[in-house]
Amino acid sequence: MADAFAPTLDAARARIAAVRPSAYARTRNALDGAVTGLSPYLTHGLVTLPEVLAGVVARHPLDVQHKFVYELGWRAYFRHVWAHRGEGILQSLHDGPLPDQAYARALPDDIRQACTGVPVVDEAVRTLYATGMLHNHARMWLASYVVHVRQVHWRAGADWLYAHLLDGDLASNHLSWQWVAGTGSHKPYLFNANNVARYAPAAWHSPGSVIDTSYEALDRMAREPRPDASQGRRVADVIEPGLSCEPPADLGAIAPNPARVAGAEVWLVHPWNLGELPAALPAGTRVIGLCVADFHRAWPWSERRWRFVGPRLAGLVDEVWHGDSAAIAAALQGAASVRSVAEPHLAPWLTRWAECLPAPALFPPVEHRCDSFSQWWTRATRGLTSATDLLAVNEVPAW
């Protein structure tokens, strides 16, 4: 699985070419269904939502209400919520089945070590550690077990999952956990062993486990505070991969160096805009890659994710800087101009250093904050019939 997500444009474009929208719509809920595997490439900006949809529509004309377009909308919607709520997405938007204080704040070791004795949970954790990826349905099962069966606060689970995902995005990940937890939706997401048996391979099936019960029983379980007495039935045989707040040494990152950009026009490349460099960059532009220490101290990554981002970042730039925000700001002060692509993960710092150009958008802006996807979707697609209509709404910025 090490090469399943090669950090290259060719790999991303091959996945776009392989999308079969009808099969996707029909089978996407199954763990062996026709999912696209595009999320790491979208998260890190190797490709954009408009590029993905344009590539698919060139082969498969789609109605704007097609399931594939709808699912692209969820990524845009989560960014919409983040834009309006900022760091508020890291807190419960409202109470779930229980008050916030009723949930444990630490993720139990038996979950981290894949030895809960519930096969669907343990298989999900093993897959996560082995690949850096997890099918969306498996993410929902895992989150539901953590929050509603084990009564662990969604934030503990969301932070842990984010750290190990290749496609970890604070908006998509943390708001999805809130949707499951019932703090960002009208009711908690619950699942049982029958649901797993319908959509997962045999190794994931969980007969006789705590989830082998009715939805009514699971709903009662989610709403009744109780001590966590669950214990794994097997010895831990999985070691959680380590996390790092620094890029690997062989990436060749250096401390921010003002002499390298003094008097120059600068284009900043960060881990979320790893697509092609702008064609119109002036000759002599210094292209600098950034790993902002302030962000990674708060949100460390697995080595697998660093290995996905690092080679692509290094291949795009003249040099990679790793340093705290103050050092980067000081180093850039002598540049003639600094530009980059806007990115909410770096919002506390990037706009202070650079003129930030908007990332290409697929959906028209919805100015009013929408607290449900359906409300946002209705507004974002109003008056549009086909996916081609949607693509025509926003022009790709000329960088």
Side-chain angles (χ1 to χ4, degrees):
M1 294 298 293
D3 297 325
F5 295 95
T8 66
L9 287 180
D10 284 347
R13 289 165 177 165
R15 286 184 177 274
I16 294 172
V19 172
R20 299 293 180 266
S22 296
Y24 175 87
R26 188 175 64 254
T27 69
R28 61 175 296 275
N29 284 331
L31 266 59
D32 60 356
V35 296
T36 70
L38 280 165
S39 55
Y41 302 97
L42 284 165
T43 291
H44 289 293
L46 279 84
V47 292
T48 65
L49 289 180
E51 288 174 320
V52 168
L53 186 58
V56 173
V57 167
R59 299 172 177 84
H60 310 278
L62 298 176
D63 186 276
V64 76
Q65 301 296 330
H66 191 280
K67 188 66 173 176
F68 180 77
V69 184
Y70 187 85
E71 293 303 324
L72 295 180
W74 273 102
R75 179 173 287 265
Y77 170 67
F78 287 142
R79 287 296 178 105
H80 164 87
V81 176
W82 198 4
H84 282 274
R85 292 188 178 268
E87 291 193 357
I89 67 168
L90 304 179
Q91 302 169 6
S92 295
L93 302 181
H94 55 73
D95 277 344
L98 298 170
D100 255 24
Q101 61 269 24
Y103 295 93
R105 294 288 168 159
L107 192 68
D109 286 343
D110 67 318
I111 297 177
R112 290 181 177 275
Q113 297 170 0
C115 60
T116 67
V118 181
V120 61
V121 175
D122 297 340
E123 288 295 323
V125 175
R126 289 192 194 95
T127 301
L128 172 67
Y129 292 165
T131 68
M133 287 292 289
L134 201 55
H135 188 286
N136 188 61
H137 213 162
R139 298 184 198 202
M140 293 166 62
W141 292 334
L142 181 58
S144 183
Y145 174 82
V146 167
V147 177
H148 302 307
V149 177
R150 301 297 293 277
Q151 295 191 347
V152 176
H153 195 275
W154 68 264
R155 176 69 192 271
D159 288 1
W160 163 74
L161 189 64
Y162 169 86
H164 291 288
L165 288 170
L166 286 181
D167 65 356
D169 174 274
L170 288 178
S172 294
N173 183 64
H174 281 59
L175 289 169
S176 291
W177 275 80
Q178 292 222 51
W179 187 87
V180 168
T183 61
S185 58
H186 297 302
K187 62 180 181 179
Y189 168 78
L190 305 171
F191 78 108
N192 65 12
N194 288 339
N195 186 252
V196 176
R198 179 179 178 185
Y199 292 110
W204 295 61
H205 295 181
S206 302
S209 72
V210 66
I211 63 163
D212 192 7
T213 188
S214 68
Y215 282 101
E216 292 76 14
L218 289 164
D219 188 70
R220 289 193 300 271
M221 191 183 303
R223 298 177 189 279
E224 296 172 357
R226 64 191 187 285
D228 182 2
S230 181
Q231 295 190 9
R233 292 195 290 267
R234 293 174 288 112
V235 176
D237 58 0
V238 171
I239 298 174
E240 181 176 357
L243 304 175
S244 176
C245 59
E246 297 186 0
D250 58 10
L251 182 59
I254 63 173
N257 186 343
R260 302 288 285 173
V261 296
E265 297 191 38
V266 175
W267 178 261
L268 299 179
V269 178
H270 52 69
W272 295 272
N273 71 323
L274 299 181
E276 293 180 315
L277 295 175
L281 284 183
T285 298
R286 296 292 294 171
V287 182
I288 304 296
L290 289 185
C291 296
V292 182
D294 307 57
F295 176 83
H296 291 291
R297 282 194 293 266
W299 302 102
W301 286 350
S302 67
E303 181 177 359
R304 185 180 296 275
R305 186 166 186 182
W306 279 114
R307 296 293 177 189
F308 181 82
V309 169
R312 176 65 184 170
L313 178 63
L316 286 170
V317 303
D318 299 317
E319 59 195 37
V320 178
W321 288 0
H322 173 246
D324 62 34
S325 58
I328 294 171
L332 291 171
Q333 281 184 345
S337 68
V338 184
R339 295 190 301 158
S340 189
V341 177
E343 173 51 49
H345 286 91
L346 298 179
W349 312 287
L350 193 60
T351 55
R352 300 178 189 173
W353 306 331
E355 175 193 356
C356 290
L357 307 178
L362 175 58
F363 294 87
V366 176
E367 301 301 333
H368 175 76
R369 191 187 84 193
C370 298
D371 292 330
S372 72
F373 175 80
S374 60
Q375 182 186 47
W376 175 86
W377 179 256
T378 298
R379 296 182 182 208
T381 60
R382 182 174 292 139
L384 303 176
T385 301
S386 69
T388 302
D389 295 338
L390 178 59
L391 286 165
V393 170
N394 290 306
E395 294 184 3
V396 176
W399 291 341

